[in-house]
Every structure is written in structure tokens, then in C-alpha cells.
Amino acid sequence: MNSAKQADLMTLPKKKLKLLNLVWLLLFIAGLVVSTNVTKTSLGALFSNFGQFAEIFLQMLHPDWSYMPAVIPLLLETIKMAILGTVIGSVFAFIYALLIARNIVKNKVVTGVLRVIMNIIRTIPDLLLGAIFVAIVGIGPVAGILALAICTFGIVVKLFYEAIETIDPGPIEALTAVGANKLQIIFFAVLPQVMTYFISYCLYAFEINVRASTVLGYIGAGGIGLYLQETLQIFDYPKTGTIIIVIILVVVLIDYVSSKSREALME
Amino acid sequence: MDTAMKKLPPKPVNLKKRLLHWGVSIVTILLIVWSCTGIDFGGIKATAGQIAGAIFTGIFNPDWSYVYNGTGEDLVSQLWSTICIAFLGTFISALISLPFAFWAAHTRHKKWYVSRTGKIVLAIIRSFPEIVLALMFIKAVGPGSAAGVLALGFHSVGMLAKLFSEAIENLDDGPNEAVTAAGGSKVNIIMFATLPNLLPALISNTLYRFDVSIRSASILGLVGAGGIGYPLIIALQYRQWNRVGVILLGIILMVIVIDWISGWIRKRLV
């Protein structure tokens, strides 16, 4: 083997440069430049003022534990809101998902229209819903519960109808063959196959709701977020630190319990 | 006909399982009942229906003079700045997420506590309320979109690094070993085995996070960190229900379009 050939073998084959990838890269860089300009983000400003940021953070790291007794009742209210929001939302999601699953409701117009409505509901972020419900029903946990219920609905309905559509059609056909009506088919062929999924999705939504409910109070929709707003407004960062630590503990704990029970459920 | 045929055999009873099911159901019901206590459902405003109606009218009869008037305070420019906040924030968080992801991926470390601590740190970042982070950045860089970008950039690390680390954990070791066997260095392994396998998952996760960031960016304005949330909260405070409707319509359209585009890109990636 001559040395030129050997050198040729030693180098890696050259990759073809794809033009399309280059276009994507250019688009991406353009996006970065434009968005930096629009948002006027400058890392220099962040670093020159980083001291202030760090100071708030340090104050939060020295939490004021005497504030705990005041926090607990609102913490309980937060959890109550999350539970009620999850329950209300998933009850509606349960019925709605059965209506938009194409293997149960055969009418494509009905399922299509209902799906568009579902997708629209899913787009609105939780806190915006909270702000709107505060304006509609007034300040208090009811606004938060309604916002959480709608969010839960959006999460559970999407996952649940996809689960329903992927079930084994055998039992449905068997029940149709022996002359069962729609309700009987749902009860004896569909639900036994998807109930564990439904419960798992509800728990998943509950985890998200616990997270969301902790800040809903900031805009007046009930729960611990109210104190978050009050302490931040008077720059009492040690108290804010207490609240945040409590929130993180509760969220991590509930996440852990709920994800463990989901794993146990899916076994 | 034989009557024995008509009776189904009794279902096998598993006492332990049944007890567990009953126990869980009772606890769940008790929890639900407990959460109904102490919440005042009677406090709904009498004008609730009227306001909801006004907002709906706004959705179906948008106030076109607000949609675009070139002042920079209109709906389109606010939505555009929301998208920019989400884009830049997601980019920053993707950059920060990479080292965190390698830290939290348990296949990368021999000692279990390294990845475990990484996972705990990510869980804490995830649970730190985004709004509080935004307020802290407002203190540092002043109110406006920049604070929103930074808050999003740091908050998203919690979720994005978790997704990244799962992608790293799912990585096949084969290519790495092949490069090592052929005499490749650590850099070669990363360049020719890890990155090409990882990149599609990273891009797909980042795009997914971008969808979420769009929603977050429209919230951050509620505390003054730029984007569409600010005009919304102002409209709510001044009871301009029509305007609330228009803004909602704008957000819905924006989220649907962005979801659609990123879904399209993700489908092409796979």
C-alpha cells in the first residue's frame, strides 16, 4: 500500500455540508440577534448589577422561621385548591375524553369541533386564567380553583383521549356482537382498559397543580402566593425565603409521593 | 341446557389488593372532603356572568385599532416581544442545561451520589417560583423584557436539564466503545459518538421547552417582566373587558401557531 493511500485511509471521510442545515443555522442566528435587540438583553447589565441579585438571594437564604405559623394555614389552603382543582378538572376531562375518542364517538364532525375547543382551552397559561378568574369571580381561592380546574382539564383530556384511542378494539367488538349499548360498551370494554391511565394522569395533573397553585395567590387567586406578594412588596426577603423553602419542600414531597404512586399503579 | 354453563366462575379474590384499593379510595375521598372545608364558595361576585360575557364579546369582536397601530404598544408588537423573550430565554437555558444534564445523568458517574445531588439541585430549581425569580431579576436589570429573558433562562434549566439528562441516560454505549476501540480520544468520543446521537433529542427537547416558554413568557408580564402579560393585567385592572378578549385571542393564536411550527420541526427531526 503506498503512503498516499494510507494517509487517505487515516483521515475521516468528509461529511457533506447540507445546504438546508446552513439555512437553519442562519435562521437561528438571526433569531438570536433579533430577540436580543427586541428584549434589550445585555449580559453586561446583569453582571454589573449581579450584586443586587445576589444580595436578595443571600437574604432569602436566611429565612425567618418565626414566620412559619403564619404560613401554614395558607399552605393548607394551597393544597386544598390543588386537590379541588384536580378533582373538578378531571371529572370534566373524563366525560369530554370519551366524547372526543374516535373509537367511541364515530361522528367525525362532533369529535373534530370538540377537539378544536379542547386545543384552544389548552393554550391559555394557568396564571393568566387565574388573573382572568380573579376579575370575573373576585379575589379568593375560588378563582384559583377554577383556573386550576381548567388547566387540569386541558392536561388530562389530551392524555386520556389518546389512551382511549389506543386500546385493544377486541372487547368493544365482542360487546357490540352480543348487543351491548354504548354505555355498556364504555363500562365493560373501554374503562377497564384505561382506568389506571386515567388515575395516573390525574396524579400527574395534581403535581402540576401543586406547583401552579403556589404562585396563584400572587395575583389574588388564593393560597400561599398571597404572602409571597406581600413580603416581596415590603422587601422582607427573609420571610420570602421562608415561603419559598416551604413551597419547594411541599412541591418536592408531593412530586415524590405522586410519582411513586404512579409507578406503583402502572405495574 | 346445562345450567352450570350460565354461571361464570367467581372472580379470584386477592384480599391484600382489595384492602389496598379500599384504603386508597377512602383516603382519597377523605382528602377531597377535607379540601372542601374552609373554602368560601359563596363569595362569587354578582357581576361574574356579565364580565365573562364582555370578555367573550371581545374575543369575537376584536378591537382592531389595538391589534396593530405601529406605536410598539399594540398587540402584535407585544406578542412579538413575548416570542423573543421565550426564544432567547430557551436558548440561554439550553446552554446552561448541558453541564447540569451531564452532572445529573447517572450513567456518566461511577458514584451514585454525584448524579443524585445533581437531580436534587434540578428539582429545587424547578420548584423555585418563576415569578419570584423574575422579580429578583427586575431588581438587577430593571423592569422589562430583559428580566423576563433571564428569569426564563434560569428557571427552564430545572426542567430542560432533567429532559437532557434522561436523553443522556438513554444513550447507547456502543458508539462510544467503538470510537474508544479505534483509538479515539475523549474529545473524539464526544465529537463522533455522543453528540451525533444526542443532538436530535436535545433539539427536540429544547423545542418542546420553547412551547412551554411561550406560555411562561406571556405570564411574566404580570409582574412587569415584559411581554403580553403586562397589557393584559392593565386591561383587567381598568376593566377593559373587550381588550382582555383581544389579548386572549392573540395569545391563543400565538400559542397555536408556535406549537404547530415546533411540532412540524420536531416531526422532521425524528
Side-chain angles (χ1 to χ4, degrees):
Chain A
M1 203 186 283
N2 57 21
S3 61
K5 219 173 187 179
Q6 202 169 10
D8 198 40
L9 279 175
M10 289 294 282
T11 54
L12 285 159
K14 265 198 185 130
K15 266 191 190 168
K16 269 187 217 153
L17 188 69
K18 280 185 198 145
L19 193 70
L20 201 65
N21 282 356
L22 203 68
V23 172
W24 279 116
L25 191 68
L26 284 178
L27 264 179
F28 182 71
I29 293 171
L32 281 185
V33 172
V34 168
S35 51
T36 315
N37 280 336
V38 170
T39 58
K40 300 185 189 70
T41 307
S42 79
L43 287 179
L46 173 66
F47 286 121
S48 59
N49 291 318
F50 200 76
Q52 282 200 317
F53 181 81
E55 201 195 297
I56 301 174
F57 199 72
L58 282 179
Q59 282 194 29
M60 282 184 186
L61 281 181
H62 296 92
D64 177 4
W65 293 117
S66 63
Y67 194 49
M68 271 300 261
V71 171
I72 297 294
L74 272 189
L75 181 71
L76 292 180
E77 186 182 83
T78 312
I79 297 173
K80 283 177 184 175
M81 279 164 53
I83 293 177
L84 281 182
T86 314
V87 171
I88 297 171
S90 18
V91 166
F92 283 105
F94 184 85
I95 302 164
Y96 203 89
L98 288 170
L99 289 178
I100 60 173
R102 292 229 159 105
N103 52 354
I104 295 178
V105 175
K106 295 283 190 277
N107 190 334
K108 286 225 164 132
V109 180
V110 173
T111 55
V113 170
L114 288 179
R115 273 181 203 199
V116 170
I117 297 174
M118 170 196 84
N119 279 323
I120 290 175
I121 292 175
R122 281 169 52 81
T123 57
I124 309 171
D126 42 16
L127 223 59
L128 288 190
L129 277 175
I132 291 164
F133 275 118
V134 166
I136 294 177
V137 302
I139 289 172
V142 176
I145 292 170
L146 289 175
L148 290 175
I150 289 184
C151 285
T152 314
F153 175 82
I155 297 164
V156 175
V157 87
K158 173 105 192 289
L159 292 167
F160 189 45
Y161 99 80
E162 281 168 359
I164 295 176
E165 288 198 336
T166 51
I167 60 168
D168 175 16
I172 299 181
E173 280 163 22
L175 279 187
T176 320
V178 296
N181 62 26
K182 265 264 135 69
L183 268 183
Q184 282 168 328
I185 290 176
I186 290 173
F187 266 105
F188 297 108
V190 181
L191 292 189
Q193 294 191 60
V194 291
M195 259 336 255
T196 49
Y197 287 97
F198 178 68
I199 297 172
S200 163
Y201 297 149
C202 292
L203 281 173
Y204 172 66
F206 178 59
E207 287 168 35
I208 296 176
N209 282 345
V210 170
R211 247 172 246 273
S213 62
T214 54
V215 285
L216 275 172
Y218 191 90
I219 44 164
I224 200 166
L226 175 68
Y227 285 165
L228 215 52
Q229 193 240 359
E230 279 177 3
T231 55
L232 280 168
Q233 214 150 48
I234 55 169
F235 309 114
D236 195 345
Y237 296 118
K239 282 184 179 169
T240 316
T242 320
I243 300 169
I244 290 175
I245 288 172
V246 168
I247 288 178
I248 290 178
L249 280 180
V250 168
V251 168
V252 170
L253 185 76
I254 288 182
D255 257 20
Y256 182 78
V257 171
S258 154
S259 66
K260 281 287 162 216
S261 26
R262 275 196 287 149
E263 272 169 32
L265 198 70
M266 280 302 166
E267 259 174 20
Chain B
M1 216 166 136
D2 194 0
T3 48
M5 283 292 289
K6 284 187 179 167
K7 246 188 182 171
L8 287 166
K11 269 190 184 170
V13 181
N14 185 339
L15 192 67
K16 217 172 138 193
K17 216 170 185 180
R18 190 169 272 188
L19 273 178
L20 187 75
H21 280 183
W22 275 102
V24 171
S25 321
I26 290 172
V27 169
T28 316
I29 291 171
L30 283 180
L31 271 177
I32 296 171
V33 171
W34 168 73
S35 27
C36 290
T37 58
I39 286 180
D40 177 22
F41 285 100
I44 295 177
K45 278 200 283 194
T47 49
Q50 206 184 326
I51 296 171
I55 293 176
F56 263 101
T57 329
I59 292 183
F60 294 112
N61 309 297
D63 166 16
W64 292 110
S65 67
Y66 178 64
V67 173
Y68 186 77
N69 54 24
T71 54
E73 299 293 320
D74 50 80
L75 185 66
V76 174
S77 13
Q78 295 284 359
L79 287 177
W80 177 238
S81 90
T82 309
I83 294 174
C84 288
I85 293 173
F87 187 83
L88 202 58
T90 313
F91 175 71
I92 292 175
S93 78
L95 285 187
I96 307 175
S97 291
L98 267 179
F100 274 99
F102 278 97
W103 180 17
H106 67 72
T107 47
R108 295 282 130 181
H109 307 286
K110 294 224 164 54
K111 299 194 176 67
W112 62 271
Y113 53 78
V114 180
S115 68
R116 193 57 66 82
T117 44
K119 286 198 160 82
I120 291 173
V121 168
L122 290 182
I124 291 175
I125 299 178
R126 269 205 303 280
S127 315
F128 197 95
E130 204 170 15
I131 287 195
V132 178
L133 203 58
L135 285 165
M136 287 164 74
F137 277 116
I138 286 176
K139 285 266 153 33
V141 297
S145 309
V149 169
L150 294 170
L152 252 184
F154 281 85
H155 180 81
S156 308
V157 169
M159 198 65 217
L160 200 55
K162 181 177 180 250
L163 295 175
F164 281 4
S165 74
E166 276 160 13
I168 295 170
E169 281 167 11
N170 289 332
L171 217 53
D172 183 15
D173 260 348
N176 287 6
E177 282 166 17
V179 174
T180 320
S185 66
K186 270 253 153 74
V187 179
N188 287 4
I189 293 178
I190 293 175
M191 282 298 295
F192 298 112
T194 311
L195 265 191
N197 283 329
L198 202 57
L199 212 54
L202 295 192
I203 297 177
S204 162
N205 281 333
T206 310
L207 278 172
Y208 163 72
R209 189 64 217 183
F210 181 57
D211 290 357
V212 181
S213 294
I214 283 280
R215 291 171 166 84
S216 300
S218 40
I219 286 172
L220 287 174
L222 295 182
V223 295
I228 189 72
Y230 185 66
L232 180 73
I233 202 87
I234 295 293
L236 283 170
Q237 263 161 13
Y238 286 95
R239 308 175 168 274
Q240 297 167 309
W241 308 124
N242 289 337
R243 182 156 290 188
V244 173
V246 184
I247 295 173
L248 262 184
L249 181 70
I251 293 174
I252 290 170
L253 284 179
M254 172 183 72
V255 171
I256 287 177
V257 170
I258 296 279
D259 274 7
W260 183 76
I261 294 174
S262 90
W264 180 75
I265 299 176
R266 265 187 291 167
K267 229 178 234 166
R268 289 193 43 152
L269 267 178
V270 177

